[in-house]
Amino acid sequence: MTAPILRRLGGLRTLTDRWQAEGTRIAVVPTMGALHAGHLSLVAAARAGADRVIVTIFVNPRQFDNPDDLAKYPRTEGSDAEKLAPLGIDALYVPDPDQIYPEGFSTTVSVAGVSEGLCGAHRPGHFDGVATVVSKLLLQTQARRAFFGEKDYQQLMVVRRLVRDLDLPVEIVGHPTVREGDGLALSSRNQRLSPAARARASALFAALDAAAREIARGAPVGATLQQAHRAILAGGYASVEYLELRSAADLAPLAALTEPARLLAAAHIEGVRLIDNVPVAPARGAS
Ligand code: PAF
């Protein structure tokens, strides 16, 4: 049976109230559509970890710092619904804009600390937009579990922090990045790459992966990051926005691998901004 597509909060609430009364556990996978295999793996994980699964599609204008980026964001509801059909979700929530931002909407959820630096430094207001819409979607869907990809690692940290700080009754589940065969992280933005840029785009992951291995085996962080920076540019990227080693737990900057870490980068290729990150684990027995 195809899942109902709901555009109004009232219709969603009728369903979720009934599911709550039946004692079933609801999971949500928030998305902005343009679904790819990364999203579908989140949906499959949600399906395995809850009784009822809601997927949301909402292209959230408040998290775009660049109007051009918002205008170019792919809107593919029909094919998204087709991709979801075999996964057996229980509802597709595609809220009309006024269901998220009604007339007079005046509240912003702003998470300090983890939202600063990295993408936060380059995309003013982005994480306020994310935190605000995610808060609304978690409350509107009454989900008890919510699934997010690790590709947007800083976003995952922001969402974990807001849920903890606001005592929202929902468990945030992070899911590993899904990659193409050559290592490129799946992203809706990949659709905007020309064939030539697509062929070179995996240089970002290759550089991160090589640097993470070097750092894990004890190479100095500064010199290794400089080498990775050069490799990304040599691989065909026009610029590197950031490339940093951060604590995996709280995104604090790390000058040395003293704890489980994440190596995160954003870079531009043919005017398309791509982000990626990889885990970096200290060798066992290292302090
Ligand atoms: O990762 C995304 O697609 C978006 O940032 C999210 C979490 C759906 C909020 O709009």
Side-chain angles (χ1 to χ4, degrees):
M1 201 181 71
T2 325
I5 298 180
L6 304 160
R7 300 186 195 276
R8 311 295 295 171
L9 179 56
L12 178 70
R13 270 286 153 79
T14 303
L15 268 186
T16 55
D17 283 349
R18 196 180 80 219
W19 293 340
Q20 297 268 47
E22 290 167 357
T24 53
R25 196 150 88 141
I26 302 169
V28 66
V29 182
T31 81
M32 296 204 299
L35 302 183
H36 51 61
H39 297 111
L40 303 183
S41 78
L42 293 177
V43 176
R47 183 66 288 165
D51 307 303
R52 300 287 187 181
V53 176
I54 303 171
V55 174
T56 70
I57 297 179
F58 181 68
V59 181
N60 175 31
R62 293 191 180 218
Q63 68 186 76
F64 286 82
D65 48 303
N66 175 345
D68 196 40
D69 218 15
L70 173 61
K72 283 186 182 154
Y73 202 86
R75 287 156 174 87
T76 55
E77 187 187 312
S79 68
D80 290 344
E82 278 171 26
K83 288 177 189 166
L84 291 168
L87 298 180
I89 65 166
D90 297 280
L92 180 57
Y93 182 47
V94 190
D96 292 335
D98 70 337
Q99 300 300 282
I100 300 293
Y101 301 121
E103 187 63 32
F105 187 82
S106 311
T107 300
T108 297
V109 180
S110 190
V111 179
V114 289
S115 66
E116 291 156 20
L118 304 171
C119 290
H122 296 271
R123 303 189 65 190
H126 170 69
F127 286 119
D128 284 0
V130 169
T132 303
V133 80
V134 169
S135 302
K136 289 214 58 152
L137 292 170
L138 295 178
L139 292 167
Q140 290 190 343
T141 57
Q142 307 192 58
R144 290 295 168 264
R145 300 188 95 187
F147 291 72
F148 294 85
E150 286 183 349
K151 201 211 78 178
D152 297 291
Y153 195 80
Q154 190 176 15
Q155 168 174 281
L156 175 62
M157 293 292 114
V158 167
V159 172
R160 283 196 198 286
R161 187 75 254 171
L162 89 84
V163 161
R164 222 174 296 151
D165 288 355
L166 298 181
D167 303 315
L168 298 185
V170 55
E171 177 195 354
I172 301 302
V173 183
H175 198 68
T177 303
V178 178
R179 299 182 180 281
E180 301 279 8
D182 64 358
L184 178 67
L186 295 193
S187 163
S188 312
R189 289 167 188 254
N190 296 351
Q191 293 178 23
R192 285 161 51 188
L193 298 172
S194 70
R198 168 62 194 87
R200 308 190 87 186
S202 61
L204 180 59
F205 170 69
L208 287 177
D209 185 47
R213 287 171 199 272
E214 285 294 297
I215 293 169
R217 68 168 190 78
V221 171
T224 308
L225 294 189
Q226 280 174 15
Q227 167 57 28
H229 192 288
R230 285 193 293 271
I232 295 167
L233 297 179
Y237 280 77
S239 61
V240 177
E241 197 175 273
Y242 65 77
L243 170 61
E244 293 188 41
L245 186 70
R246 297 278 183 129
S247 157
D250 60 8
L251 291 183
L254 294 178
L257 187 60
T258 47
E259 59 182 283
R262 215 82 197 181
L263 186 54
L264 307 103
H268 295 256
I269 184 164
E270 260 188 1
V272 181
R273 180 180 183 275
L274 298 180
I275 61 170
D276 201 353
N277 70 87
V278 295
V280 194
R284 249 183 290 170
S287 63

